[in-house]
Structures are given as structure tokens and as C-alpha cells.
Amino acid sequence: MTQKKTDLLQGTLDLLVLKTLAQGPQHGYGIAQKILVMSREVLEVQQGSLYPALHRLEKKGMVSSEWKESEAGRMAKIYSLTKAGRQHLAQEMEQWQRYTSAINWVLEG
Amino acid sequence: MRLPWQKAETELEREIRYHLESLAAEYELQGLSRKEAEQQARKVFGGVESVKEECRDLRWWRWAADGVQDLRYGWRMIRKTPSISVAAVVSLALGIGATSAILTLAHTLLWSDLCVKAPQQLDEVLWISQDHAGGMVRSTSGSMYQDGALRVADFFSRAAIGAMQQRTAGKAQIAGHIGGELVSSSVNGKVSVVRLRGVTGNFFAVVGARQAAGRLLQHADDTPSSVPVLVVTHRFADRTWGSDSAAVGRTLRVNNTTYEIVGVLAAEFGGLIPGDTTDLYVPLEQTPALRQPDSFARQHGDSPTTWWIQVLARRAPATTQVELQRLLDTAFASSWTVPPTKVEATPHIRVQSAARGLGSIRHDLGNPMWMLLSLVALVLVVDCANIANLLLARAARRQKEVALRLSLGCSRGRLIRQFLTESLLLASIGAALSLPVAIAAGQLMTTLLGSQGAGMTLSMQPHLSTFLITGAIAIATAVLFGLYPAFRASQVQTVPALKEGSGSAGTRSRQLWAPAKMLVFGQTTLGVLLVASAILFTGKLMALVNQDTGFNRDHVLLFDVRPGEVGHEGEALRNFYFNAEQRLRDLPGVEAVGLAQTRPMRGGGSWTGVKGPGQARPSQTAEHRSNAGFLDSMSIPLAAGRAITPQEARGGLKVAVLSEDLARDMGLSPALGAHVTVEGGETYQVVGIARAARYHSMSETAPVLYLPFDYNSSSATFVVRTSIPPSDAFFAIQQVFQGLSRDLPLVDVYTMEQQISRTLQKERLFAWLCGSFGVLALVLCAVGLYGLMSNITERRTAEVGIRMALGASRQAVMKQVIGEGMLLVAGGVVVGLPAAWVVARFAIAEGFLAKEVAYSEPIALAAGVLLAASALAVLAPSVRAASVDPMRALREG
């Protein structure tokens, strides 16, 4: 079974991360798996590249982190969405919608 | 304590490990083996190190953390290539240190303002004329020099100064001073010889100097009937009493006068001339010269034809130099009682800025100083080329390392910063070490300038600004050339560089060497120039020292005595001299005793005009008053006639001996028996002709008119010729003077050799500096070449190994390395030779060098020396190349 995979559009990784975290606090590995599952394994993400994105968002104050025991019983760095992150996500999603519908109009029109 | 970046680093590490382990666990559940699962996890995760780098880039302390790491890494790399690092640091330290010391000297002598209030308003007043001012001025005291076609002089009559003060009232202040003579002063019975300057009462107000204690001189101090007071310099107070305030109120005897010290000058006031050694400032009317009832200054000082006072002016802020010059010119002309004979002989005022002190030393040292500065610039260029060369070599070695770091995920920006840090580290070490070099060089120059009372006292604290300038140039070079390879290296194709490694010398690495080769080439060219100038000037000095002086300089002792200043007068004074002459002559080991009013080889003399019968214009000559034994003590032979006899000398008869060149100049025939008239009107009969001999300096000849010694003179120089070493005779000589006068110090005791070397102080300093520049350039060139060739051979180890494996002999390998190095040097020499020749022609045209100086041999010699030094420098790398073990080279290459 071969499945065609698509490179992530630039700048969209932040959006995916925020969206994933909107469903609840999660560690990096969990975020990666969730994105993979939610995108039905179409999106090709080098899982490592998640971390610079997470750290960047943390620096901007969109997410916060703390070391906690994970479900597997080990210490893991758990990220959660902040208030600012939530607002940013709403804006970004709205922007994305407009963007995709615009593209769709052009392609289908 | 854990630093923030260490904590962040472990957290990052844990986070990523957690991710990888979770992934691996998942894959293991899917049925992969543990090893396969871990591999798969890494593949899915991507480059761990580059992810880490990206995360690190986000941290705010990133810059500082990297800096610390860069430094630590830089230090490690510096230690890894010790020979190159040490060579670069030494180049930097020597280059910055030596050049900033020279610049400091130039600054002190040429560029620094006097430490007084508003120095720009201070002017030196001089007069200029195209021709001899003739009868307008009958007697003078001061200095005169030739500036192109103009005579420039600095002495004025009292009447002229009075007229100037009146004329410029409200527009400028005018002060007078008379020049630093040496006198014996005694403090609490201890006698020392000090330099004294007579100044008008308003002098310090005009100069704008401050006192450290007490008060400075005022108008009221400067009358013939004032209580004798004086002001001392901080240096003198410090030397004598250890503090400024302790000096005020004390008394000090000069000759027979007791002066009260009313004030001490502030430490920052170093005098009017750069390197001024004046210790005492005395009101003009109270100077020893004017207090003696029968002194010349007392009798003739008021005459409008006696010009003897130097003038200093302070302009009001609104007055321009041109305006001042115009005012002074009319005032000066109004003071003449004898009109000028012709237009060309009319003196005019020249006003020149005294903001940096009076001009004579700059006049003396100005040209050589500029020459030295150009040499400094050349040395600095050679130095920078060296640093550049060494850094290029260092970087070229590290191509493989750079490629490795790039492929491990190091960003190019980071790489460049690493190189920058390393260069800065290297440059800072060099700059730090240059400080002691600069201080040592400064002390050396101060010693050379000030030794044996050469008449200069300089404070040579390394000047911060000069230090910053040279330091900035050298460090900029280090940074620039440290970065250049980083930029190049960051464009390296990682895979071929890794494969090629450091062993082979492909076309690209040859290219990388090109700038280094150019640097060695250019360095050698400049090296020829520097070494040639070193040989030229040291050679010039040697020639000066070793030339035939016309007198015998061995076994001669010179010293001054000042009996007239410790109470001997009239008959007692004459008897003192008679007894001294006689008792010295009777000492065993003493061959002749000369007594002279002017010390021979002193650098100056007493000059006058002399006319023979029917001679229209007087011949200029040195007037030398000496006793009967003088010519013997100097071993100056007579060409004709006889010397002055003791009876003639003691009786003050009007007889004279002419030097050969004076007799020739006067055109006397027959000379013997002729009557000659000295300026001022006295007539002497010529009894002898002496062979020409150097008189006042080694570099100039002077005609001499020998006249009988004046036994009423308050001071004299003894010239004692001994058959035993002069130092052995000195104790007995001292005993003689102890017996004659208890408190009489013998001053400036030197052998003739020492006296001669003192007159060559300037030449010696100059030759010494040029010589050290030459050596410095030579060392730098050799180090640069060594660095380059070491690197080339090291990089070619594999190539050499192959060649030797294929049958090349060790000699052939050595020959190739030496040949390559020497080709570069030879190229530099070929360009350097004509360049040096052109520069020498230019130096002669500009008057830096005398016309008769032979410069071709020194230039050729310089080229030879440079080639020899280069051969030595490439020898070591060539031997190392030849001792390569082919097997090892091939295995490791």
C-alpha cells in the first residue's frame, strides 16, 4: 500500500500544534502522534521539527509547559495552551478558512 | 550553581529522548526488533542535532552562552597550533608595542600642546632677515638658524621689548626670557649644577602656568632692588625635598646670592621646550648674569644694539597672528638706533605658534621624526601582513574541521562567529602583551635621549590614544583576516573537503594559498626597504663616530669647574687657575692640561666674525679662548708657527692661533704675523696655524680662532690628557681640587669618547631606532615565511610521501621546498631593490639624507641579509618535509 504524502505548508505547523493543544495539555510525542492521526497520516512531518515550533510558541507566550508525570508513568514535558494562544488560534483559524475558501473559489471557479 | 543554559540543555535532551523512546516503544509493539525500532524512531524524528540547534537559537541567552563556548573552543584551537599562535601573538605584541612607543615619542616632541591655559594664544616672536643685520646688533645671545634663504633669530633688545609691550597694549601681552644656562646652586651646603632661566615678572601670567604651592613671579620681583626670589619646578622640588610644599620658603644659593623660593610650578608644566630641563625660574633683573657688577649684561644690557632676550606673546582672544605680527613689526623697527644698511638686511618679525612649545627641538628633530614615522607605518604594514598570513595559514589547516562541523548541523553564521571570537582572543592576548613592550621601548628611548645629560627630560608614558590607534589597526587586521577564511570556509563543499581531508593539495587548496603568497611577497619588498634604511643609518652613525676628527680622542678627560661661583674672585680666581694648571701638570700620568672657556665637542660654541687686513667681509668662526696647553691636550698639531705660550696667556697678550681652514677662508698671506680684528674691535697678532680639527660637533667642520684664555672667567673646562687610563688618574685629579677649594664640585666628568657620543645623541637615537625597525622587520619577515612554508609542507605530507615512494630523494624534496620559498622572497627582493633605490633618491632630494651618502651598497647588503634570513626560515620546514616517512604519510594522508 503506497500512500502519497504531502509536505507541510510553511507556517502551518504552528497552527496544527495550537489546534492539537486546544483539546487538552499534551507532551511533544503526543502532539506528533495526534497530528499524524488527525491528518489521516497524509501530512509528512519530521517529528523533530515539532520542538523548535513548540519552543518558539512558548517564547511568544502562546503555550506554557511544565514537567509532569505522563500516562506511561514517566516524567514528560507537558505543554498547554495559554489564553493568548487560544485567541491567536481563533484568529489563525479564521484566516485559514478565508485563505482556503479563496483558493477553492479560484480552483473551482 | 547550575547556569540557565545547562538546565535548558538537559531538559531539551530529556524531552527529545522521551520522544525517541516512546516512538521506539511503539515500533517495538508493531513487531520490530529493538535495534530496528530505535533506528526507525531516529529516521522519523529527523536530525537530532539540528533540531537541538534550532531550539537553542530560540533562547535569549544564546549569544552569551555561545560566546563562552566560542572562547573556550577558541582557546583550545589556539593551543592546538602553538607555533602559529605564538608567532601571531609575538607579531602583534612587537608591532603594537614598538609602534606606539615611537608614536608616543613623536607625540611628546612634535604634537602635544603645552600644559598651560589656552595654549593656542601663545606665540613665539622671532625675527627674520635675508642678510646679516650688520651694525644694528653688536652683541647677541640666543639662537639663530637658517630657514631656506632666511636667517631666523630669537633675540631682541630691551628697547624692542619695551616698544612691543607699548604697541600691543590691550591686544597682547609680551614677556621676555633668557635661555637656560647651567649654574651651581647650593641647598644647605650641598652643591649641584642646575639649569636656570631668567624671566620677566609677567612671564608666568603670559605663559598661563599654574603653581603647585606658594606663588609664581610678579612684576614687583623683577626690579634690580627687589629681594631675590625664585620659582622652582615640581621636578626640582621633588628631587630635593620630596614634596612641593616643603620647598616654599626655603633658601637656595646661586653664586653669591641667596634666593628665597616663593613657589613651585605645577607638575604638568614641563617647560617651554619639549624635554626642557630648566629647574629654576629667576626674575630677569635678579639673574646671576645681571647681579654681577661687572657682567656684560649689566653693562650693556640696556643698549639698543645688545640683543639678548627671547620674546613670548599671548594674544588676546580677538587678536589674530597677522595683526600681532604687523604691530610687533612697527614696534621692532621703532626700537632701532642704527638703521639697516640695505633692504635685504632689514629684520622683520615672524610670529609662530608656541602652543606646542618653542621651536628649536622640533626644528632639529622634525625631519628625522617624519622619516621615523614613515618607517613605523612600514613596520606596521609588515606586521599586519604577518598576522594576516599566519591567520590564513591557521584557517587553511582547518578546512576538514569546518566541513565536519557544517555537516553536523553547525550554522554558517555560528561558524563565522567562532572564527571571529578566535581572532579577537588572539588579538587581545597580543594587545595585552604589547603593553609591557611599549613601556620597555619607551623607557629605552627616554634613557637614550636623557642619558649623560643629553639635555632632554621626557616623560614617556605610553600615550593612550597612540596605543588605541596602533592597537586598533593590528586588531582590525587580525579580525579581518580571521574572518576571511571563515567566509571562504563556510562556502566549502563539505563532501569533497571531508574526502580530500588535509592531505592532498588539490587545485582549490593551491588557490587558497595565493593571498598568503602575495603577502610574503609584499612583506619582503618592504623588508628590503626597512633593512636597507637600518643599515644606511647605522652605517652613517658608524662613519660619523669613526671619522678622523683631527685630534686624538684617546686618554682625554673633560670636566667643568665653576670657581667664580663659590667665592673666588679677582686675584684669588686667577691663582686658582694657575695652581690648578700647575698641580695637575705635576701629577704622574698626566701629559698635558688644557683649559678652555668652551668645552670641545659640546654641540655649540661662541661664534664671531673676524677680519684680516683688507678683508671686506668678516669670516665667520668659532672663537675659542684657551690656555697654552690646550692644543697639546687635544693633540692638535701645528701646521706653522707656534702655540700661545703660558706667559702670553696669563698676561692676556693679544696673540692668536688660526685653524688652517680659517686662514684659508681669510685669504691671509703670509698668515703668520698678520693682524686680525675680531667683531667688537680687538686686534690680535697671528703666531701660529693649527691643523683643522672637529670643534663643536662630529657632523660639521668649523673654523676656529684660538685666543688666550681669560683667567677672570668664573667657570672653565679642563681638558686633561693622560698616559694612563683617565679613570685611573681621576682620583688624583679630584685630590688636587679638594686641596684648592673645598666645596668645588667637578661637573660633567667625561672622557672624550663619552663627550663625542653625547654630541651624537640625536644620530644615535635615530640610528638605534632605524636599526631596531630593521631587525623587527627581518624577524617578522622570517616568521611570516616560516609560518607559510611550514603550512605548505604540512599540507603536502601525502604528496611528499607519494613522491618519495616513487623514488624522489630527500635532497630533491628539500630542494623543492627551499626553492619554492626562496622564489617568493627573490620576487620580493627584485621589486624591493629598485623601490629602495627610488626611496633613497627621494630621501636625498627631501634632505633626509646627505647627498654624499652611498646608498647602493647598503641596499644590496639589505637584500643579501634578507635572503639569508629567509633561507634560514625555510630550512626548518624543508628538513621536516624531507624527513617524512613515506609509509606513514601514505597511510595517514
Side-chain angles (χ1 to χ4, degrees):
Chain A
M1 184 196 78
T2 53
Q3 199 177 9
K4 205 162 180 201
K5 299 210 171 186
T6 311
D7 278 342
L8 208 53
L9 263 170
Q10 231 178 4
T12 50
L13 183 60
D14 284 12
L15 187 61
L16 294 184
V17 168
L18 288 177
K19 178 69 191 165
T20 315
L21 284 178
Q23 297 163 15
Q26 192 58 269
H27 48 65
Y29 173 69
I31 298 170
Q33 301 318 308
K34 248 185 174 155
I35 291 176
L36 215 59
V37 171
M38 289 195 312
S39 72
R40 296 171 198 135
E41 307 209 357
V42 173
L43 290 178
E44 168 91 0
V45 188
Q46 280 262 305
Q47 295 192 15
S49 58
L50 203 60
Y51 288 93
L54 274 169
H55 287 210
R56 191 162 49 240
L57 287 171
E58 189 177 10
K59 201 177 164 197
K60 284 185 189 161
M62 309 270 182
V63 303
S64 60
S65 72
E66 56 180 335
W67 286 84
K68 269 191 195 160
E69 206 168 316
S70 72
E71 59 274 27
R74 294 177 53 193
M75 290 303 285
K77 197 175 181 186
I78 310 285
Y79 295 86
S80 48
L81 210 56
T82 63
K83 208 175 153 195
R86 220 170 277 283
Q87 281 169 2
H88 185 70
L89 174 63
Q91 280 170 15
E92 286 290 297
M93 277 174 67
E94 196 187 330
Q95 185 118 20
W96 179 254
Q97 298 290 2
R98 274 202 310 222
Y99 177 70
T100 45
S101 35
I103 298 282
N104 276 333
W105 290 332
V106 173
L107 292 179
E108 287 160 15
Chain B
M1 198 194 91
R2 276 164 67 86
L3 296 165
W5 51 83
Q6 286 171 334
K7 178 165 177 265
E9 197 60 25
T10 39
E11 284 191 359
L12 180 65
E13 173 72 37
R14 274 171 69 192
E15 198 176 9
I16 289 172
R17 199 168 60 224
Y18 180 86
H19 193 127
L20 285 172
E21 282 170 5
S22 305
L23 264 178
E26 189 98 339
Y27 287 127
E28 229 175 320
L29 279 180
Q30 287 172 12
L32 293 179
S33 76
R34 187 171 188 93
K35 208 174 157 194
E36 282 169 336
E38 275 171 12
Q39 260 177 10
Q40 185 63 25
R42 280 184 181 279
K43 198 172 147 202
V44 172
F45 189 84
V48 175
E49 285 308 314
S50 60
V51 165
K52 278 187 183 170
E53 270 296 300
E54 256 186 86
C55 290
R56 286 180 196 131
D57 281 343
L58 291 171
R59 297 176 194 153
W60 62 264
W61 63 79
R62 169 84 203 210
W63 187 85
D66 282 356
V68 171
Q69 201 190 12
D70 283 348
L71 272 181
R72 205 165 43 209
Y73 193 68
W75 178 238
R76 202 189 302 155
M77 293 318 288
I78 285 173
R79 281 196 325 200
K80 214 175 141 190
T81 52
S83 57
I84 287 188
S85 306
V86 167
V89 165
V90 166
S91 297
L92 275 165
L94 285 181
I96 303 177
T99 46
S100 65
I102 295 286
L103 287 177
T104 304
L105 180 70
H107 178 88
T108 315
L109 291 183
L110 301 178
W111 304 322
S112 62
D113 281 351
L114 292 177
C115 274
V116 297
K117 182 185 79 193
Q120 321 76 22
Q121 294 171 9
L122 273 186
D123 285 325
E124 184 179 3
V125 181
L126 305 164
W127 59 266
I128 48 175
S129 72
Q130 286 173 316
D131 206 345
H132 193 60
M136 303 177 66
V137 40
R138 294 217 177 272
S139 88
T140 63
S141 165
S143 73
M144 184 183 246
Y145 63 87
Q146 200 79 29
D147 181 10
L150 292 174
R151 296 152 179 268
V152 184
D154 66 354
F155 36 83
F156 293 90
S157 68
R158 261 200 185 132
I161 294 177
M164 288 177 186
Q165 280 170 338
Q166 262 185 357
R167 191 87 198 183
T168 59
K171 303 220 163 170
Q173 290 170 280
I174 307 287
H177 57 105
I178 55 172
E181 52 174 333
L182 288 173
V183 295
S184 311
S185 84
S186 80
V187 178
N188 297 335
K190 204 170 150 265
V191 180
S192 61
V193 173
V194 297
R195 196 173 288 278
L196 176 147
R197 189 174 283 276
V199 297
T200 54
N202 65 346
F203 179 79
F204 287 112
V206 170
V207 168
R210 290 185 315 117
Q211 68 271 36
R215 65 170 177 90
L216 298 179
L217 300 176
Q218 300 160 354
H219 269 299
D221 300 321
D222 190 24
T223 67
S225 56
S226 307
V227 181
V229 295
L230 55 74
V231 164
V232 300
T233 59
H234 165 78
R235 207 169 46 236
F236 183 79
D238 196 50
R239 194 169 66 211
T240 317
W241 295 284
S243 90
D244 294 332
S245 46
V248 178
R250 291 191 189 250
T251 57
L252 185 150
R253 276 179 75 82
V254 177
N255 296 357
N256 296 321
T257 311
T258 303
Y259 292 89
E260 188 196 343
I261 299 171
V262 291
V264 180
L265 280 159
E268 80 248 5
F269 182 71
L272 285 180
I273 310 159
D276 203 342
T277 49
T278 303
D279 301 296
L280 314 177
Y281 289 88
V282 176
L284 193 65
E285 298 294 345
Q286 295 290 336
T287 48
L290 275 165
R291 282 190 67 88
Q292 271 173 350
D294 57 342
S295 77
F296 181 83
R298 184 105 169 215
Q299 287 166 7
H300 303 284
D302 282 328
S303 155
T305 54
T306 303
W307 297 12
W308 58 295
I309 303 174
Q310 280 89 63
V311 176
L312 197 67
R314 175 176 285 277
R315 274 175 288 121
T319 314
T320 62
Q321 257 185 353
V322 179
E323 196 180 351
L324 179 66
Q325 182 161 331
R326 199 173 41 74
L327 288 172
L328 292 179
D329 212 31
T330 45
F332 186 34
S334 73
S335 72
W336 301 335
T337 48
V338 180
T341 48
K342 48 186 171 177
V343 179
E344 296 83 56
T346 311
H348 287 287
I349 292 289
R350 171 188 277 189
V351 173
Q352 72 185 31
S353 174
R356 291 166 183 171
L358 305 184
S360 72
I361 196 175
R362 278 198 300 279
H363 181 76
D364 285 353
L365 283 180
N367 269 353
M369 225 38 227
W370 283 112
M371 179 106 182
L372 269 188
L373 286 180
S374 358
L375 291 183
V376 167
L378 282 187
V379 165
L380 208 56
V381 170
V382 170
D383 192 45
C384 289
N386 222 27
I387 295 161
N389 196 342
L390 292 166
L391 287 174
L392 284 179
R394 236 162 83 85
R397 278 184 170 199
R398 289 166 57 180
Q399 256 187 354
K400 191 173 180 178
E401 173 213 326
V402 167
L404 194 63
R405 293 185 62 192
L406 280 176
S407 58
L408 280 178
C410 176
S411 73
R412 282 162 206 267
R414 177 70 203 278
L415 195 67
I416 287 168
R417 226 174 49 197
Q418 167 68 40
F419 274 87
L420 181 66
T421 314
E422 257 182 74
S423 318
L424 277 177
L425 186 63
L426 207 61
S428 317
I429 298 174
L433 285 178
S434 72
L435 194 64
V437 172
I439 292 172
Q443 271 167 355
L444 186 74
M445 283 191 281
T446 316
T447 318
L448 279 176
L449 276 173
S451 65
Q452 304 171 344
M456 287 178 88
T457 310
L458 293 174
S459 76
M460 284 275 297
Q461 295 303 317
H463 214 269
L464 186 66
S465 56
T466 61
F467 214 73
L468 289 180
I469 294 169
T470 48
I473 293 173
I475 289 173
T477 316
V479 168
L480 190 69
F481 285 89
L483 277 186
Y484 167 78
F487 279 114
R488 271 198 75 94
S490 66
Q491 287 156 14
V492 159
Q493 298 291 309
T494 50
V495 177
L498 278 175
K499 264 199 241 149
E500 254 185 35
S502 59
S504 71
T507 42
R508 201 187 55 253
S509 41
R510 267 184 196 283
Q511 233 174 31
L512 195 68
W513 284 116
K517 281 186 174 165
M518 289 315 292
L519 284 172
V520 168
F521 179 79
Q523 228 178 10
T524 320
T525 309
L526 294 181
V528 172
L529 273 179
L530 283 165
V531 176
S533 66
I535 295 175
L536 205 63
F537 285 104
T538 42
K540 190 179 153 198
L541 178 72
M542 293 306 284
L544 263 180
V545 170
N546 295 328
Q547 71 182 324
D548 182 18
T549 51
F551 60 84
N552 181 356
R553 63 181 94 166
D554 286 334
H555 289 92
V556 176
L557 194 69
L558 302 159
F559 55 89
D560 287 1
V561 289
R562 302 171 170 278
E565 294 176 0
V566 292
H568 295 273
E569 278 177 303
E571 202 52 35
L573 185 62
R574 295 170 62 81
N575 280 329
F576 171 87
Y577 286 123
F578 296 159
N579 289 333
E581 273 180 317
Q582 192 55 47
R583 292 194 201 173
L584 287 177
R585 186 69 193 81
D586 291 344
L587 286 178
V590 170
E591 290 189 332
V593 178
L595 191 52
Q597 239 155 359
T598 309
R599 182 183 276 246
M601 302 310 289
R602 196 193 64 164
S606 169
W607 308 94
T608 186
V610 61
K611 262 199 244 184
Q615 193 178 351
R617 282 176 57 116
S619 302
Q620 291 296 311
T621 176
E623 178 192 289
H624 187 72
R625 293 191 171 271
S626 54
N627 72 345
F630 180 77
L631 290 177
D632 274 350
S633 68
M634 295 285 285
S635 293
I636 299 175
L638 284 166
R642 59 173 178 85
I644 298 168
T645 64
Q647 291 71 31
E648 284 167 342
R650 291 181 181 186
L653 294 180
K654 305 288 185 203
V655 290
V657 171
L658 269 51
S659 70
E660 255 178 337
D661 37 357
L662 178 60
R664 204 179 312 124
D665 191 44
M666 292 176 73
L668 294 177
S669 66
L672 287 182
H675 285 82
V676 296
T677 309
V678 179
E679 230 168 59
E682 293 196 56
T683 301
Y684 294 82
Q685 188 180 15
V686 178
V687 296
I689 306 290
R691 293 262 182 231
R694 287 280 190 270
Y695 174 69
H696 66 302
S697 97
M698 293 297 272
S699 46
E700 287 173 72
T701 57
V704 186
L705 175 68
Y706 298 94
L707 299 179
F709 182 71
D710 174 10
Y711 283 92
N712 295 314
S713 168
S714 67
S715 65
T717 300
F718 276 88
V719 182
V720 180
R721 172 166 296 281
T722 55
S723 52
I724 55 176
S727 51
D728 294 355
F730 184 60
F731 182 71
I733 292 172
Q734 256 183 325
Q735 295 276 304
V736 166
F737 283 97
Q738 289 273 313
L740 283 169
S741 176
R742 214 167 41 81
D743 282 336
L744 188 74
L746 302 189
V747 181
D748 291 344
V749 183
Y750 300 123
T751 64
M752 184 56 92
E753 289 285 359
Q754 287 168 334
Q755 182 69 33
I756 287 172
S757 68
R758 284 187 56 194
T759 69
L760 295 176
Q761 211 77 27
K762 199 179 85 187
E763 285 87 351
R764 209 152 45 125
L765 175 78
F766 194 57
W768 218 95
L769 288 173
C770 284
S772 25
F773 279 143
V775 172
L776 196 62
L778 204 61
V779 169
L780 289 176
C781 285
V783 166
L785 191 66
Y786 171 81
L788 179 75
M789 292 315 290
S790 301
N791 265 279
I792 291 183
T793 50
E794 214 157 289
R795 287 169 55 83
R796 293 230 195 113
T797 313
E799 181 200 319
V800 171
I802 293 172
R803 291 179 39 155
M804 287 175 75
L806 289 176
S809 69
R810 291 185 189 282
Q811 285 87 337
V813 171
M814 269 181 83
K815 233 165 88 185
Q816 193 215 348
V817 175
I818 293 179
E820 193 164 332
M822 294 312 282
L823 192 69
L824 278 178
V825 177
V829 168
V830 165
V831 179
L833 276 175
W837 193 81
V838 168
V839 170
R841 300 282 334 161
F842 173 76
I844 287 174
E846 290 291 304
F848 292 144
L849 273 178
K851 278 195 189 58
E852 65 276 8
V853 171
Y855 51 86
S856 306
E857 291 88 349
I859 291 174
L861 187 59
V865 168
L866 207 64
L867 283 172
S870 308
L872 278 179
V874 295
L875 200 62
S878 75
V879 167
R880 214 175 314 137
S883 57
V884 161
D885 177 357
M887 286 310 287
R888 277 186 59 184
L890 288 176
R891 224 182 299 134
E892 286 170 10

